[in-house]
Amino acid sequence: MNGGPSDVLRRGAGRGNAALLGLAGLCGFLALVEALPRLGFVSPDHLPPTSSIAAALAEETSDTAFWTALGDTLTGWALGLLIATTAGITAGMVISIVPYLREATASTVEFLRPIPSVALIPLAVLLFGTDLRSTLLLVVYAAFWQVLVQLLHGVQDTDPVAEETARSYGLRTWARIRHVLWPTALPYVMTGVRLAAAVSLVLAITAELVIGAPGLGARIAVAQTSHAVPDMYALVAVTGLIGVLINAGARAVERRSLAWHQSVRGEVSP
C-alpha cells in the first residue's frame, strides 16, 4: 500500500537530494580535470582540460558527420537490443514450458553464456565485414543471455501452488503463461532488459572501435590515430552520457511497468 502525502514528499526530497549530490560530484570531477593539466600534474597531450574538451565537443556537434555516427550507434544498439529481447523472451518461455527442455539445454546455456562477445569479432568480420550486421551479431549475442537467464530464473520462482491451481482449472499453455508465469517472471525480465541495454551499448561501441563499423566508436578510433586528443575525450564523454540516459530510461520504464509489484510500489507516486 502506498504511503500518504508525507511519504511521497519524503521520497521526492530524497530523490532531489540524490540528484543534487550527483550534480555536485560531476562538477567536482570536471573541475579536477580542468585543474590537473593546468597545474602540471599531467600533460595536456594526455589529458586536456575540461574547457578544451568542451570546445571540441561543441565543434563535434556542429558537424553533420557526428550526428550520422550517433545515429549509426543508436541504430545498432536499438536493433540489437530489440532482437535480443524478443529472442530471449521467446526462447526462455519455450524452454520453461516444454517438459525436460530446460534440463536438456542447461549445459549448453552454461557453456555458451560465458563466451565474451568480443571473441566473436573475427567471425563477425568474416561473415559481414564492417557493416551494421557485424555490430548486431556482437550486440545480440551479449544481450540475449542477459534476458534469457533472467527469465529462466523468474519462471523458476513461480509459486508451485499457483501453477498447480492453474493446471487443475484446465488452463491451457498460453493462459498459464499469461496469468501465472509471465507476472512472476516480468520483474526478472525487466532487470534483464535493463542490463542488456547497457551491455548492448558497450558492444556497439566496441564493434565500432575494433571492427571499424560506422558509429561513434569509429570516430573515437579516428580521433585517437590522428592525435586529436580533445576530440577523442569529447566523443568518449558523449558515449558516457548516452549510457547514463539509457540506464535512466530503462529504470523509468522498469518502475512504470512494475508499478503494481511490491518491489517498486513504494518508488512510484500514486
Side-chain angles (χ1 to χ4, degrees), residues 136-222:
L136 288 178
L137 175 62
L138 302 181
V139 170
V140 170
Y141 187 85
F144 170 78
W145 302 112
Q146 304 290 335
V147 179
L148 174 67
V149 171
Q150 287 292 328
L151 188 143
L152 292 177
H153 286 318
V155 172
Q156 193 173 24
D157 199 38
T158 302
D159 187 351
V161 175
E163 194 164 1
E164 287 301 321
T165 301
R167 292 180 186 276
S168 66
Y169 276 98
L171 293 183
R172 296 184 179 274
T173 300
W174 174 246
R176 286 195 299 114
I177 292 174
R178 180 181 177 183
H179 298 293
V180 180
L181 300 181
W182 182 247
T184 303
L186 184 57
Y188 292 84
V189 172
M190 294 306 299
T191 299
V193 171
R194 175 163 52 83
L195 296 174
V199 169
S200 296
L201 179 64
V202 172
L203 267 298
I205 299 295
T206 301
E208 294 161 3
L209 272 169
V210 179
I211 298 175
L216 292 176
R219 284 183 70 86
I220 292 173
V222 170

Side-chain angles (χ1 to χ4, degrees), residues 19-256:
L20 288 175
L21 288 173
L23 181 60
L26 176 60
C27 291
F29 175 74
L30 294 177
L32 180 64
V33 173
E34 179 72 24
L36 287 177
R38 295 193 180 279
L39 295 176
F41 289 103
V42 295
S43 171
D45 294 335
H46 299 151
L47 178 63
T50 301
S51 55
S52 298
I53 297 174
L57 179 59
E59 186 175 349
E60 283 284 342
T61 54
S62 65
D63 186 355
T64 56
F66 166 81
W67 297 105
T68 301
L70 177 60
D72 290 334
T73 296
L74 292 179
T75 298
W77 166 78
L79 282 177
L81 179 62
L82 177 62
I83 295 170
T85 300
T86 303
I89 292 174
T90 303
M93 280 300 178
V94 171
I95 291 173
S96 299
I97 63 177
V98 175
Y100 307 112
L101 187 56
R102 178 158 187 168
E103 290 78 6
T105 58
S107 58
T108 303
V109 170
E110 292 305 317
F111 171 74
L112 294 175
R113 184 167 63 94
I115 297 176
S117 286
V118 291
L120 301 179
I121 287 177
L123 176 63
V125 175
L126 180 64
L127 292 175
F128 305 120
T130 60
D131 64 10
L132 176 63
R133 291 174 295 176
S134 293
T135 301
L136 288 178
L137 175 62
L138 302 181
V139 170
V140 170
Y141 187 85
F144 170 78
W145 302 112
Q146 304 290 335
V147 179
L148 174 67
V149 171
Q150 287 292 328
L151 188 143
L152 292 177
H153 286 318
V155 172
Q156 193 173 24
D157 199 38
T158 302
D159 187 351
V161 175
E163 194 164 1
E164 287 301 321
T165 301
R167 292 180 186 276
S168 66
Y169 276 98
L171 293 183
R172 296 184 179 274
T173 300
W174 174 246
R176 286 195 299 114
I177 292 174
R178 180 181 177 183
H179 298 293
V180 180
L181 300 181
W182 182 247
T184 303
L186 184 57
Y188 292 84
V189 172
M190 294 306 299
T191 299
V193 171
R194 175 163 52 83
L195 296 174
V199 169
S200 296
L201 179 64
V202 172
L203 267 298
I205 299 295
T206 301
E208 294 161 3
L209 272 169
V210 179
I211 298 175
L216 292 176
R219 284 183 70 86
I220 292 173
V222 170
Q224 187 267 330
T225 55
S226 61
H227 303 289
V229 180
D231 297 80
M232 183 188 72
Y233 277 99
L235 292 167
V236 170
V238 170
T239 61
L241 178 60
I242 294 172
V244 170
L245 293 176
I246 286 175
N247 185 65
R251 286 188 175 277
V253 171
E254 183 179 16
R255 286 195 297 268
R256 292 303 176 185

